[in-house]
Amino acid sequence: MSSDLSKNDTTTSDALTESERAAELDQQGKETFDMLFSTRKPKNATAGLSSGLKSIGKGFAAGTAALIAAPVAGAKEGGAGGFVKGLGVGIVSAVALPAV
């Protein structure tokens, strides 16, 4: 009976750890987004247009980088299956990042 309790305790602590990891990754994602794209309200139309064009350019650059880096990282981690999965992630990123 005591071993059952310790298994439940371990499962609970693992769940909290995964939850904490997910929260940390989410925070890192927000920080990366804020660093990459301007989130400030522009002062006027010219500043808004300039900021928008810069964000589009950064989105294309980040999408292109993800299109190249994600399959390579996937292949290193999971072989051919990881490459295919990384290619999918890269394609989605290449389409989604410029649209943000």
Side-chain angles (χ1 to χ4, degrees):
M1 185 174 215
S2 64
S3 64
D4 290 338
L5 291 176
S6 65
K7 286 181 185 177
N8 288 339
D9 289 343
T10 303
T11 305
T12 303
S13 67
D14 290 345
L16 290 175
T17 304
E18 292 204 17
S19 175
E20 291 170 349
R21 278 189 233 143
E24 184 178 324
L25 288 174
D26 188 44
Q27 182 61 34
Q28 288 173 349
K30 287 177 185 177
E31 290 172 2
T32 301
F33 182 87
D34 289 344
M35 187 172 55
L36 190 59
F37 300 105
S38 176
T39 56
R40 294 181 292 151
K41 183 176 178 180
K43 294 179 183 180
N44 54 41
T46 305
L49 181 63
S50 173
S51 177
L53 290 173
K54 286 178 189 175
S55 290
I56 289 171
K58 289 177 182 180
F60 276 113
T64 302
L67 185 59
I68 295 167
V72 171
K76 284 183 181 178
E77 203 169 293
F83 176 83
V84 172
K85 186 176 179 182
L87 185 61
V89 169
I91 290 171
V92 169
S93 297
V95 172
L97 284 172
V100 174

